[in-house]
Amino acid sequence: MKYIIKDLKIKGVTLTPQRMAIIEFLKSNLNHPTAEDIYKALEEKYPSMSIATVYSTLELLKANGYIQELSIRKRGKACFDFTSKNHHHFLCLKCDNIIDIESECINTCPIVKAGQLEGCKVGEIQAYLYGVCSECNKNTIKKNKNK
Amino acid sequence: MKYIIKDLKIKGVTLTPQRMAIIEFLKSNLNHPTAEDIYKALEEKYPSMSIATVYSTLELLKANGYIQELSIRKRGKACFDFTSKNHHHFLCLKCDNIIDIESECINTCPIVKAGQLEGCKVGEIQAYLYGVCSECNKNTIKKNKNK
DNA sequence: TCTTAGATTAAAATCATTTCAATTCTAAAA
DNA sequence: TTTTAGAATTGAAATGATTTTAATCTAAGA
């Protein structure tokens, strides 16, 4: 967090209250918010803020590598991840939640490691796992028991 | 291909010329076309066809499991894969091409296999590899040699 | 204080996709 | 073959996320 502020200052980027608030929000909301999520959350404290500012700040943070835009979308909307660390995502098909997967296992995929992909140079991997999360699984089991 | 036609007939789905043409196109264009790609390609032969028909047919084929919509988008547009077979995708950051990866290696990821994902039930995995494809790699090397 | 570049804003524009109502087509029954 | 009901297609309009625009504001340096 701090390093972002410092970094951006060094880069000569103006740190407006809006930008600070968006960075702060992203830091404390790791549940992959959309631009709208951010806008709505900050609406109260910054009533005059425009959604265009949210978009432009997200673009700025993305371009500087502080956040990642996921390849997948939440109800048609782009969503963002406050980290540059390489990790993967699990999507619950029941509750729509996106859960981070810290596992390195996908990166150890032999074909990728060996760079054997027919001469391709692989930089980044984003894996999306679709399924039912533990919370939703529990609920299903409960329901079945009650029957 | 044939089985789709047969299958759909059994299911009582009407096989209009437009639908046939779209299925045919998808079959012979495995480069992950978008709705627009399909529309433009069929424009000449079916001048009266509406883009709405393309979208609705894609939806129909998707719902019946004959095609897959990728999680990633091509220049902001949804793109489709004529297969129900589980595989992954490589995205060239230089030429925007999407290349199929037939490898099973990602699916053998130990954590996923063991279903140990904190109680999650993993159904499908879609991995997206970002990098530079062999073709673009070659071109870069050539350019460097010429310098 | 004045100037200026960059940031913010609200509104308009864009663009992919969906919806809608009217028309046309299809397939099965008569 | 003709009829007919239901489904599909069409073009246009609506939607919704995102981007662009032009005007206004802000903060830092001269």
Side-chain angles (χ1 to χ4, degrees):
Chain A
M1 177 56 182
K2 271 276 169 55
Y3 75 91
I4 294 189
I5 308 294
K6 208 176 160 187
D7 257 38
L8 286 172
K9 239 182 196 161
I10 290 167
K11 286 178 182 168
V13 173
T14 314
L15 289 159
T16 63
Q18 292 94 328
R19 284 178 177 171
M20 297 281 277
I22 292 167
I23 293 168
E24 188 62 48
F25 180 86
L26 284 165
K27 180 199 165 193
S28 42
N29 292 78
L30 302 174
N31 55 340
H32 315 90
T34 65
E36 202 196 0
D37 291 337
I38 298 167
Y39 177 66
K40 284 200 172 158
L42 301 180
E43 208 167 32
E44 227 175 303
K45 202 166 176 196
Y46 298 86
S48 78
M49 185 160 67
S50 163
I51 187 105
T53 302
V54 177
Y55 278 105
S56 83
T57 302
L58 288 171
E59 189 50 46
L60 174 80
L61 296 174
K62 201 173 83 176
N64 283 280
Y66 303 119
I67 63 172
Q68 266 184 271
E69 179 178 343
L70 302 196
S71 294
I72 48 164
R73 326 197 106 216
K74 234 188 216 169
R75 279 160 280 121
K77 290 171 210 156
C79 46
F80 297 87
D81 209 332
F82 184 82
T83 181
S84 51
K85 213 166 129 191
N86 192 357
H87 67 277
H88 309 288
H89 296 93
F90 177 90
L91 264 98
C92 181
L93 300 171
K94 288 217 170 167
C95 67
D96 261 5
N97 256 4
I98 301 172
I99 300 162
D100 287 329
I101 305 173
E102 300 297 340
S103 167
E104 279 295 301
C105 66
I106 291 160
N107 291 340
T108 61
C109 162
I111 227 174
V112 173
K113 266 177 75 182
Q116 285 162 348
L117 208 59
E118 293 154 35
C120 299
K121 219 176 249 175
V122 177
E124 193 188 333
I125 306 177
Q126 285 191 30
Y128 295 95
L129 287 69
Y130 296 83
V132 182
C133 77
S134 57
E135 204 54 40
C136 288
N137 257 334
K138 268 188 228 161
N139 294 342
T140 310
I141 292 163
K142 266 187 208 161
K143 269 186 199 164
N144 286 342
K145 274 191 183 166
N146 291 345
K147 268 183 200 168
Chain B
M1 178 55 182
K2 272 276 168 55
Y3 76 91
I4 293 189
I5 308 293
K6 209 176 160 189
D7 256 37
L8 286 172
K9 239 181 195 162
I10 290 167
K11 286 179 183 168
V13 173
T14 313
L15 289 159
T16 63
Q18 293 94 328
R19 283 178 177 170
M20 298 281 278
I22 292 167
I23 293 168
E24 188 61 48
F25 179 86
L26 284 165
K27 180 200 165 193
S28 41
N29 292 79
L30 303 175
N31 55 341
H32 315 90
T34 66
E36 202 195 1
D37 291 338
I38 299 167
Y39 177 66
K40 284 198 173 158
L42 302 180
E43 207 166 34
E44 227 175 304
K45 203 167 176 196
Y46 299 86
S48 78
M49 186 161 64
S50 163
I51 187 108
T53 301
V54 177
Y55 277 106
S56 83
T57 302
L58 287 171
E59 189 50 45
L60 174 81
L61 296 174
K62 202 173 81 175
N64 283 280
Y66 303 119
I67 62 172
Q68 267 184 269
E69 179 178 343
L70 302 196
S71 294
I72 48 164
R73 328 197 104 218
K74 233 188 215 170
R75 279 161 279 119
K77 290 172 210 155
C79 46
F80 297 86
D81 209 331
F82 184 81
T83 182
S84 51
K85 213 166 127 190
N86 191 357
H87 67 278
H88 308 288
H89 297 92
F90 177 91
L91 266 98
C92 181
L93 299 171
K94 288 215 171 167
C95 67
D96 261 3
N97 256 3
I98 300 172
I99 300 162
D100 286 330
I101 305 174
E102 300 297 340
S103 165
E104 278 296 301
C105 67
I106 290 160
N107 290 340
T108 60
C109 162
I111 226 174
V112 173
K113 266 177 77 181
Q116 285 162 346
L117 207 59
E118 294 153 34
C120 300
K121 218 176 250 172
V122 178
E124 193 188 334
I125 306 177
Q126 286 191 29
Y128 296 95
L129 287 69
Y130 296 83
V132 182
C133 76
S134 58
E135 204 54 40
C136 288
N137 257 333
K138 268 188 226 160
N139 294 342
T140 310
I141 293 164
K142 266 186 205 161
K143 268 187 200 163
N144 287 342
K145 273 190 184 165
N146 290 346
K147 269 182 200 170

